[in-house]
Amino acid sequence: MANQRTFDQLTSVKFTKKKQVENFFRDRINEIIFFSQLETVKNSVNIFNKQNVDINSAGIKNIDNSFTNFRYYKNLLIINNNREIIALPQDSSYGPGNSIDSVKNILLSKLSGNFRGVKIIEVKNGENELDYSIYIADKIISNDKSYLGTVVFELDIDYLNSIMLETNPNEGLGKTGESYIIGNDKYMRTNSRFFKNIILNKKINTMGAINA
């Protein structure tokens, strides 16, 4: 009976966290679709396509103000139709107007081609787990259906970790259990309760991972 209760409890935790993660990404997809369709965003990006970007311009401030209404993100990037990347907001960790060379080429290569719908992109730009980022991208389309650019949100992975990482033994995982996200390649995508620097460095080969 005790083993069955433990199994049922772990199963409940698994499905609860699975639903939380699905809802998290569903909401982020809906948000970037909404953002990419804002008239202020379309108008500003259309201006960026025709002239050099002034980081103090009204267009930049309009996009910056729209972005501040959203949570769960670290940075906003705009790719114009000349494949130039503009980093926002002005307190972005990239810095306003910075070419963000560390991830620029990676993002541009992953967003090349005629992708459809919202695209989720992973970037590992170093050996430390802090160098791992998740981006979510959507095209900006004008009212006459022409391509204006691409909007890219960098997700704040701390929110994903807050869903998956459980250190309280009374919350269903006991003293030895943990929950985490893995990719199709079976490598971990969120932090471990027991190990450091684990993201994209540890491959999970348990039966649960294999059957996932």
Side-chain angles (χ1 to χ4, degrees):
M1 290 294 293
N3 288 340
Q4 183 62 45
R5 284 198 301 270
T6 300
F7 177 80
D8 291 343
Q9 189 173 24
L10 291 173
T11 301
S12 176
V13 170
K14 179 182 73 172
F15 282 107
T16 297
K17 291 189 178 293
K18 178 177 181 288
K19 191 66 175 179
Q20 288 176 312
V21 171
E22 289 173 345
N23 289 342
F24 177 85
F25 279 101
R26 182 202 63 205
D27 291 344
R28 305 295 75 75
I29 289 170
N30 288 337
E31 283 177 349
I32 199 167
I33 291 173
F34 173 79
F35 188 88
S36 67
Q37 294 175 353
L38 290 174
E39 289 300 321
T40 53
V41 173
K42 292 181 183 180
N43 293 337
S44 297
V45 174
N46 195 36
I47 293 172
F48 299 163
N49 290 331
K50 297 176 182 177
Q51 63 189 47
N52 292 332
V53 176
D54 177 2
I55 62 173
N56 295 311
S57 68
I60 287 283
K61 291 178 180 178
N62 285 338
I63 293 180
D64 197 340
N65 291 337
S66 298
F67 181 65
T68 56
N69 294 324
F70 293 86
R71 301 172 57 199
Y72 307 109
Y73 308 104
K74 292 176 66 176
N75 294 296
L76 161 67
L77 309 174
I78 299 292
I79 304 175
N80 66 13
N81 60 11
N82 297 316
R83 294 180 65 76
E84 299 168 324
I85 296 183
I86 306 147
L88 299 169
Q90 294 200 27
D91 63 353
S92 163
S93 59
Y94 299 122
N98 193 301
S99 63
I100 60 166
D101 290 332
S102 60
V103 297
K104 177 180 179 180
N105 292 332
I106 299 173
L107 284 176
L108 289 177
S109 66
K110 289 181 178 288
L111 289 171
S112 62
N114 188 27
F115 75 91
R116 294 183 177 181
V118 174
K119 188 167 186 177
I120 296 175
I121 304 157
E122 295 180 290
V123 174
K124 182 76 181 293
N125 194 42
E127 296 303 319
N128 192 286
E129 64 185 23
L130 296 177
D131 298 317
Y132 172 70
S133 301
I134 300 175
Y135 298 86
I136 182 169
D138 192 26
K139 288 183 177 179
I140 304 168
I141 305 297
S142 70
N143 293 333
D144 63 3
K145 307 302 181 183
S146 61
Y147 172 73
L148 296 175
T150 301
V151 59
V152 184
F153 289 169
E154 181 185 1
L155 294 180
D156 189 338
I157 298 176
D158 286 346
Y159 284 105
L160 276 178
N161 282 321
S162 70
I163 294 172
M164 302 306 298
L165 189 60
E166 183 57 67
T167 58
N168 186 342
N170 298 318
E171 292 297 326
L173 295 174
K175 295 181 178 180
T176 59
E178 66 174 341
S179 59
Y180 41 79
I181 296 174
I182 62 172
N184 290 332
D185 56 7
K186 308 305 180 188
Y187 280 92
M188 290 180 65
R189 298 305 202 272
T190 52
N191 288 336
S192 169
R193 179 179 176 183
F194 305 108
F195 303 99
K196 300 293 185 183
N197 198 28
I198 208 77
I199 296 177
L200 283 180
N201 289 327
K202 183 174 178 58
K203 192 171 187 178
I204 306 299
N205 290 310
T206 63
M207 287 304 299
I210 293 171
N211 294 328

